[in-house]
Amino acid sequence: MATSIKKIVAASLVGTTIEWYDFFLYGSAAALVFNKLFFPESDPLTGTLLAFLTYAVGFVARPLGGLVFGHFGDRVGRKTLLVVSLLMMGAATFLIGCLPTHASVGAAAPLLLTTLRLVQGFALGGEWGGAVLIVSEHGSAERRGFWASWPQAGAPGGNLLATGVLTMLAAWQSEETFVAWGWRVPFLLSGVLVLIGLWIRLSITESPVFQQAEPMEKAPIVGVLRHHTKDVVIAIGARLAENISFYLLTVFVITYAKANKIDNSTVLEAVLIASAIHFATIPMWGALSDRIGRRPIYLAGAAGVGVWIFAFFPLVRTGNFLAITLAVTVGLLFHGMMYGPQAAFFSELFGTRMRYTGVSIGAQLSAIVAGALAPVIATALLQSYSSALPISLYLGLAAVLTLGAVYAARETQGRDLAERIHA
């Protein structure tokens, strides 16, 4: 019996929210406490840089996760791999909450932290492609942009949840208590959230488009490299500005605020409000792409974020809560213009039996040079120049590259996913 599209969307949204909660929680903790607990022998900014390097390690594992999960997702099905990715991510995050610190076990502490971060990245590399595909392949072509944008809302949803938990802990605990043990609570909470997500995901049916497609004789990656090389390059380019901007706006902003002696709670509350607006508007951009196409919305978002970043840092530097909230909110609105249509756009680029692999590889390869390095590069630039201008130029260049990639793509709106594109 087929599962309703609303239940499919709910299963994908809950799962992606939990997985992004786990992933973003690490990024926030890296900026707030990991420099003290796992790299205590460095000065504060260098310690933060080292913490962000372990954060980047998670991205390095994502293409491998995308390749492995994509291969089996194209061979076995989308649903099974979504369950596996959720369990892997949840277990790694829960164990981070149990880790001994540098004070207890010395150099073994950052090594264990890095290992669990690798597991997180591997799981997330397989999660994203499966979540957006199972929705895209259940929904109708006419509303695919809208329905497929809901798993995308799991990113700000997870960030909202992670930031919300951290904000409450920061409000209820002293900084000493938070550093001592309070930081562990959000990681341990992941275990409960995973059980909820697992219960929902086990209740859905497999993608009908996948079930009806003929199996490939060769490995899906062979088909992707043979028929979709250009599409993979387009996906990589399209993600540059989207990925870099998101991590600058939601993760690096915490480090930038600390460097300017702005209270953590002020920034966390601003990100919390902006993430709520971001969550609510992503489906709106997806729906608009059903009306006027994926490319126009995506191009507007890339151009917007490339310009806005030059106003973003001066607004944050004021230390004013309303100014910081405005800075993050507008930035995330431009990000949403790219992220909302992205799921449908990427899904429509590839044939069915190589779609999971193609979408995952394109998206996750870009994540290494974009999201993985964004906080590291931004922190290093801030340390070297004591100015945000080089960081703004960095995102501005990424926006130009994204504009070129999306402009070179063909419009995919309304494509029948059952077609064996180039297969």
Side-chain angles (χ1 to χ4, degrees):
M1 180 177 171
T3 311
S4 72
I5 184 63
K6 291 182 179 179
K7 189 171 183 179
I8 294 291
V9 167
S12 292
L13 176 59
V14 169
T16 52
T17 298
I18 293 169
E19 297 225 17
W20 282 112
Y21 164 82
D22 293 349
F23 207 72
F24 288 134
L25 189 59
Y26 188 104
S28 298
L32 293 171
V33 297
F34 282 175
N35 58 334
K36 303 172 185 176
L37 297 174
F38 294 91
F39 307 97
E41 297 172 357
S42 307
D43 67 82
L45 203 54
T46 302
T48 301
L49 185 59
L50 290 171
F52 275 144
L53 283 171
T54 64
Y55 172 78
V57 162
F59 287 84
V60 174
R62 282 167 66 169
L64 180 60
L67 182 61
V68 173
F69 278 82
H71 175 85
F72 289 103
D74 282 329
R75 288 284 187 177
V76 179
R78 311 340 188 179
K79 175 183 171 179
T80 302
L81 276 298
L82 283 174
V83 170
V84 173
S85 68
L86 185 62
L87 287 172
M88 286 184 66
M89 176 67 85
T93 306
F94 184 85
L95 289 174
I96 288 175
C98 303
L99 280 181
T101 63
H102 189 279
S104 301
V105 297
L111 182 61
L112 290 169
L113 181 68
T114 302
T115 300
L116 291 175
R117 183 61 176 173
L118 281 167
V119 176
Q120 276 193 324
F122 185 84
L124 191 61
E127 158 70 22
W128 183 80
V132 300
L133 289 189
I134 202 163
V135 175
S136 295
E137 293 178 347
H138 271 87
S140 64
E142 293 77 17
R143 302 195 69 195
R144 184 179 298 129
F146 172 70
W147 291 121
S149 67
W150 280 102
Q152 299 290 80
N159 195 30
L160 183 64
L161 190 57
T163 307
V165 172
L166 289 170
T167 301
M168 287 190 291
L169 288 173
W172 295 341
Q173 296 179 327
S174 65
E175 185 173 352
E176 293 75 18
T177 303
F178 181 75
V179 172
W181 61 267
W183 68 272
R184 297 181 182 274
V185 174
F187 289 92
L188 298 175
L189 180 62
S190 176
V192 178
L193 297 176
V194 166
L195 291 176
I196 297 171
L198 191 61
W199 174 69
I200 296 175
R201 283 198 167 174
L202 286 171
S203 68
I204 64 174
T205 57
E206 182 55 81
S207 155
V209 173
F210 172 81
Q211 290 176 321
Q212 294 163 14
E214 295 179 15
M216 289 190 65
E217 295 180 2
K218 298 180 179 180
I221 186 63
V222 174
V224 170
L225 294 176
R226 179 175 297 170
H227 302 295
H228 292 290
T229 303
K230 179 184 176 182
D231 296 317
V232 169
V233 173
I234 286 171
I236 291 172
R239 286 213 76 193
L240 289 176
E242 175 268 305
N243 222 218
I244 291 172
S245 65
F246 189 76
Y247 290 100
L248 292 183
L249 295 168
T250 61
V251 176
F252 176 73
V253 67
I254 299 172
T255 300
Y256 185 73
K258 285 176 68 177
N260 284 275
K261 304 198 181 335
I262 300 169
D263 187 61
N264 282 339
S265 61
T266 300
V267 182
L268 287 172
E269 288 168 12
V271 172
L272 192 67
I273 293 170
S275 294
I277 296 171
H278 193 211
F279 177 87
T281 53
I282 281 178
M284 177 187 77
W285 300 122
L288 190 58
S289 78
D290 285 329
R291 290 180 172 272
I292 65 175
R294 319 296 184 212
R295 291 171 72 250
I297 307 298
Y298 212 114
L299 290 168
V305 81
V307 173
W308 180 251
I309 195 66
F310 289 92
F312 174 77
F313 289 112
L315 286 169
V316 173
R317 197 163 54 244
T318 65
N320 180 274
F321 173 71
L322 291 178
I324 296 172
T325 303
L326 176 66
V328 182
T329 300
V330 174
L332 287 180
L333 284 174
F334 283 125
H335 173 268
M337 294 176 74
M338 295 180 281
Y339 206 54
Q342 188 182 93
F345 178 36
F346 286 9
S347 298
E348 291 160 345
L349 290 174
F350 300 93
T352 300
R353 284 289 184 160
M354 57 187 94
R355 185 170 292 133
Y356 202 146
T357 300
V359 164
S360 298
I361 294 300
Q364 304 311 331
L365 281 176
S366 184
I368 293 181
V369 297
L373 296 180
V376 177
I377 291 173
T379 302
L381 288 172
L382 182 63
Q383 191 175 40
S384 299
Y385 296 97
S386 300
S387 169
L389 181 59
I391 305 170
S392 299
L393 292 170
Y394 163 54
L395 179 56
L397 175 60
V400 171
L401 294 174
T402 292
L403 286 168
V406 177
Y407 184 79
R410 61 191 184 277
E411 180 56 65
T412 62
Q413 175 197 7
R415 169 162 289 150
D416 181 2
L417 293 186
E419 294 177 358
R420 288 195 61 177
I421 309 166
H422 301 309

